[in-house]
């Protein structure tokens, strides 16, 4: 096969403009985070004077010492970790169990169109906050980790990605396994799940980020602030950090003298982002492949 390279001036200009736009978009995404990190490592006086941009001024770690000394941060971090692990696991299991039969044709699955319409309907309409809250109350899930997991147990958009990925696999794979005597569960677990790794990594990343960043449901469903997940705790911290600093014991006097509200908030928010930053590089290689393969067929 002969590959023809286009070295025309227009093509070169396209590449230059394309790279410039991508670099600009990347900077827009990264620079606010760099500023946040610089503020968290700067002194109170430098931050108040507006001297901090992208590099710490009067470098110190007092804001992190203040954040890590309190029990609230680690307690909320533990709640978020439980939510991410349990929530993502339940999401993946239910998505696979729903996507596998829905990936079949109408002839093989009776009423497939009705089930599919039901799922799509939930993407467009929902009962609203009050009915959802009443259901959570009536089922006794208030102040429970399950109130953060079960209401969104099946992310429909991610399930459709898995369904389309399964529909893109050759039918001969299942037919040959059926001839060899394998049942549907055996085919799903032993044959299809290994092939689903890119798609599972993609929707798994969606679930991880969704559970980790969610804060509103924690405030709604948790009456005891000790049960707040990390993002709910950080949200309340953003609104009332001054009161938290005033309630701090005398053991924090030296730390409080070296920090202010902005440095304390920046340190807490950066610490909250570390787990996602640590997980993403391991799943990134599957992200594009899984997303594209899961969107080929409708």
């Amino acid at each position: 096969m002969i590959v023809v390279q286009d070295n025309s001036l227009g093509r070169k200009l396209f590449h230059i403009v394309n790279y410039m736009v991508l670099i600009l978009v990347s900077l827009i995404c990264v620079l606010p985070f760099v500023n946040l990190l610089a503020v968290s490592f700067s002194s109170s006086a430098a931050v108040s004077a507006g001297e901090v941009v992208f590099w710490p001024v009067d470098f110190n770690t007092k804001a992190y010492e203040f954040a890590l000394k309190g029990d609230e941060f680690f307690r909320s971090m533990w709640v978020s970790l439980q939510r991410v692990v349990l929530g993502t696991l339940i999401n993946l299991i239910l998505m696979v169990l729903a996507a596998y039969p829905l990936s079949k044709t109408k002839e093989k699955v009776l009423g497939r169109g009705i089930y599919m319409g039901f799922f799509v309907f939930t993407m467009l309409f929902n009962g609203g906050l009050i009915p959802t809250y009443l259901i959570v109350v009536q089922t006794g899930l208030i102040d429970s980790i399950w109130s953060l997991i079960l209401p969104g147990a099946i992310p429909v958009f991610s399930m459709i990605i898995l369904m389309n990925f399964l529909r893109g696999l050759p039918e001969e794979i299942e037919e040959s396994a059926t001839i060899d005597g394998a049942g549907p569960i055996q085919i799903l677990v032993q044959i299809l799940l290994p092939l689903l790794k890119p798609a599972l990594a993609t929707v798994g990343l969606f679930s991880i980020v969704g559970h980790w960043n969610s804060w509103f449901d924690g405030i709604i469903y948790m009456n005891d602030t000790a049960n707040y997940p990390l993002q709910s705790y950080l949200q309340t911290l953003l609104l009332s950090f001054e009161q938290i600093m005033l309630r701090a014991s005398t053991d924090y006097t030296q730390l409080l003298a070296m920090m202010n509200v902005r440095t304390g908030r920046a340190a807490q928010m950066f610490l909250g982002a570390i787990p996602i930053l640590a997980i993403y590089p391991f799943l990134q290689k599957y992200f594009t492949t899984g997303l594209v393969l899961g969107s080929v067929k409708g």
Side-chain angles (χ1 to χ4, degrees):
M1 182 177 64
I2 300 175
V3 179
V4 179
Q5 294 184 350
D6 186 359
N7 294 322
S8 63
L9 179 61
R11 188 67 177 176
K12 292 179 179 178
L13 288 175
F14 170 78
H15 283 298
I16 293 173
V17 173
N18 194 26
Y19 286 133
M20 291 177 63
V21 171
L22 291 176
I23 291 173
L24 179 61
V25 172
S26 300
L27 290 176
I28 292 174
C29 295
V30 172
L31 289 182
F33 193 78
V34 175
N35 175 258
L36 182 73
L37 184 60
V39 168
S40 68
F41 281 114
S42 299
S43 66
S44 173
V47 173
S48 300
E51 300 175 358
V52 181
V53 184
F54 301 122
W55 194 258
V57 178
D58 299 331
F59 182 88
N60 68 83
T61 59
K62 300 302 181 182
Y64 289 93
E65 294 176 27
F66 177 80
L68 297 176
K69 272 192 173 183
D71 295 334
E72 294 86 358
F73 180 84
F74 288 105
R75 183 168 57 241
S76 59
M77 174 76 81
W78 173 240
V79 174
S80 283
L81 290 175
Q82 293 180 75
R83 175 180 184 172
V84 168
V85 173
L86 293 173
T88 303
L89 183 61
I90 290 175
N91 288 159
L92 291 176
I93 292 174
L94 294 181
M95 282 190 293
V96 170
L97 293 179
Y100 179 53
L102 291 177
S103 65
K104 307 301 180 183
T105 61
K106 296 180 180 180
E107 291 74 19
K108 294 183 178 180
V109 177
L110 185 63
R112 177 192 176 277
I114 298 176
Y115 293 119
M116 195 63 212
F118 172 78
F119 280 109
V120 173
F121 183 84
T122 62
M123 292 180 64
L124 305 175
F125 305 96
N126 61 72
L129 177 60
I130 294 177
T132 304
Y133 179 80
L134 292 177
I135 291 174
V136 172
V137 171
Q138 294 299 321
T139 51
L141 298 178
I142 291 293
D143 268 330
S144 167
I145 187 70
W146 299 109
S147 65
L148 308 177
I149 297 172
L150 295 182
I154 302 184
V156 178
F157 176 77
S158 298
M159 186 273 292
I160 292 176
I161 292 178
L162 282 180
M163 181 191 71
N164 289 334
F165 187 94
L166 285 167
R167 293 177 68 182
L169 296 176
E171 295 183 2
E172 290 78 7
I173 296 177
E174 293 191 52
E175 291 175 357
S176 60
T178 303
I179 293 174
D180 291 335
I185 300 299
Q186 190 176 5
I187 293 174
L188 176 62
V189 174
Q190 297 184 0
I191 298 176
L192 296 182
L193 281 184
L195 299 176
L196 280 174
K197 284 182 180 179
L200 289 175
T202 301
V203 297
L205 184 60
F206 286 158
S207 294
I208 290 172
V209 174
H211 282 296
W212 187 262
N213 287 338
S214 182
W215 61 272
F216 186 68
D217 51 358
I219 294 177
I220 294 297
Y221 300 137
M222 298 299 178
N223 295 327
D224 187 355
T225 56
N227 296 325
Y228 275 3
L230 182 60
Q231 302 305 327
S232 300
Y233 167 70
L234 291 178
Q235 176 65 18
T236 58
L237 186 71
L238 292 175
L239 300 176
S240 58
F241 196 86
E242 296 88 346
Q243 288 77 6
I244 293 175
M245 293 177 68
L246 291 174
R247 293 198 305 266
S249 63
T250 55
D251 297 336
Y252 291 84
T253 303
Q254 293 182 348
L255 292 178
L256 294 176
M258 295 293 294
M259 58 176 287
N260 62 11
V261 175
R262 286 190 61 192
T263 57
R265 288 173 174 173
Q268 296 268 11
M269 288 187 287
F270 182 75
L271 288 172
I274 288 178
I276 295 298
L277 294 176
I279 292 173
Y280 183 77
F282 296 99
L283 300 178
Q284 189 271 338
K285 64 180 180 179
Y286 296 109
F287 185 78
T288 303
T289 302
L291 188 60
V292 172
L293 289 176
S295 62
V296 173
K297 294 185 178 181

